[in-house]
Amino acid sequence: MASIKDVAAQAGVSVATVSRVLNSHPSVSEEARTRVLAAVDALGYRPNAVARSLRTAQTRTLGLVISDVLNPYFTELARFVEEEARALGYSVIIGNADERPDLQDHHIRTLIDRRIDGLLVSPADGGSPLMREVALSGTPMVFVDRWIPGIDVPVVRADGTGAVKDLVAHLHGLGHRRLAIIAGPAATTTGNERVEAFRDALRELGLALPAAYIGQGDFQAASGRRATEGFLALAEPPEVVFAADNLMALGALDAIRARGLRVPDDIALAAFDDIPWFVHTAPPITAIAQPTADLARAAVRALADLIEGRTPQSVTLPARLVVRRSCGQDATDQRSDR
Amino acid sequence: MASIKDVAAQAGVSVATVSRVLNSHPSVSEEARTRVLAAVDALGYRPNAVARSLRTAQTRTLGLVISDVLNPYFTELARFVEEEARALGYSVIIGNADERPDLQDHHIRTLIDRRIDGLLVSPADGGSPLMREVALSGTPMVFVDRWIPGIDVPVVRADGTGAVKDLVAHLHGLGHRRLAIIAGPAATTTGNERVEAFRDALRELGLALPAAYIGQGDFQAASGRRATEGFLALAEPPEVVFAADNLMALGALDAIRARGLRVPDDIALAAFDDIPWFVHTAPPITAIAQPTADLARAAVRALADLIEGRTPQSVTLPARLVVRRSCGQDATDQRSDR
DNA sequence: ATCGTCTCTGTAATCGATTCCACGGCGTCG
DNA sequence: CGACGCCGTGGAATCGATTACAGAGACGAT
């Protein structure tokens, strides 16, 4: 592959001049410029990003460490992150942690070794020593969706409390009183916050959230299935299952179906995170939708701000309730959303 | 961040010795080794992958250019590709083309500029000049899922002809005679092959595939909706719609629902690509499943073979029919698959 | 004519690694 | 005792860019 030297030779100038042309430095004669450009064209020359990065100490690359790519919510987030990053002139390397802290650390390691300019993380746990070290070391870093208390970096996330309150009101309005939740891992902020929001909303309506109605999940489908089986085996099973993410909702649906029960007639189901498929499940699933694209954009912009020396902003955007038919139907909730 | 020089100084040896220790070169004294290792530890030194890549001319990185990450089939493929690559000591940079040739070229450009060791591509089109140039230039490259005739690189893909034949037989057995297909873009191999397999299977049963029953899609949900609306507006609408990918099936479901029709009573639906959500749609959707994990593994291995100087193998694996309820139910197909 | 200024260009240092080559010391063998 | 080989080590070149610095001309002012 042609290097800058070849271009210089072909154009009859020095490498410095070639470099200047390529970086549109002002002091280059018109004649030299055209000769260099011609040589670049003739040789099909492309600058070596590796060499450039070594010299300039920047890679124009962002690392995105995501809890689970197979979760449609995160897939979508990743997609919008890449889109915004591209608009800002950055590439993105995605590391999929599969909700495993060890994998998460592996990816952070690799990304740091590659000297990415900044790190976007949706942590799968409460923060490894490595993560703290990286944050402290001054590597530009932003948390998205989930964050870690005690690590002082900007956070871009959705606030679900309002939507959860709406959801609980909706359920209450439909006559449901025994509400259960499948929680995410306690080590994640989203795992806790959603339970807390749910508990608070129940309390406001004078309802309790007994321990038996809190299933422990890990944001994966299988755990949703297990937790739901647990609920259904209770002497007094809940009337509603609220899954803290879409995959656990899928698992819950599995478990309910396996028991031969119907949604919403026998048991109601709702989920945090809205995804296109929820419109087409049997029945369409009531969910809390996050503004994924906006979150992604805000996160990338905050990271770029950090990298480029501006002051980044933490951002919290509201999630909203999308009512469908999985919790039963009342007079005011006829319309079906898309 | 500490460099190899700092380590050398701290350990009281030369950078050459440090490098030898780090690369487990044999001729290093035990004493020097321990001193270097201690210094590495003390400084928290991590080799700079950028510098290393520049010198060794390899990045231990694979590029994966995918037609559409939001398509669950490709998401899954990407996940397994990363998994296998990691096992082989490579990182993966994913470029999402969104079925847009220009974006595809952009990603190929960027990846080549970053000097990735090899390229895994699922082309969104019939092959840009850039793609041909890259293939010809000797950059290790492997096609996965889709390929481009005339570009001589290994291809790892699924063969759906058997499964399509099974599907058509299944449909025929249920009494369906008017079968329509929503095709993918003509520029993609999977777009064509699936139509051809469908047509051939129909012919063997003495059925024709009229032009009106071939909808032109682009593997995106919206096109599935449009094509299906077209079918439903015909004087004699088809009894079955077969979507050439899962997103177009989703669109078809939308269109059918919007018309107030029911699946499978009013019209049957089947899809190429099986995804977890198809179990939970209303009704569960009959689909052709590809061995995604095996495809990903085979593709990465072929690419690694190419990179490391071994002889790569093209691989074709059979897809298989998974019968659910979206085409109607007959006596032999009672079981519901997962 | 001399000087200063401005524009353009080239030389060379540099980033952080890897690796070829040479060299010193030591053991072995004739 | 000298020659040879081997082992461990360091010096320095190298990968392909960027960029500080200096120098060569051109040109106008004095």
Side-chain angles (χ1 to χ4, degrees), chain A residues 3-4 16 19 23 45 47-48 55:
Chain A
S3 84
I4 195 170
S19 175
N23 295 285
Y45 167 76
N48 182 328
R55 181 60 234 243

Side-chain angles (χ1 to χ4, degrees), chain A residues 39-54:
Chain A
V40 164
D41 229 56
L43 297 172
Y45 167 76
R46 299 245 83 211
N48 182 328
V50 174
R52 190 194 294 242
S53 293
L54 176 60

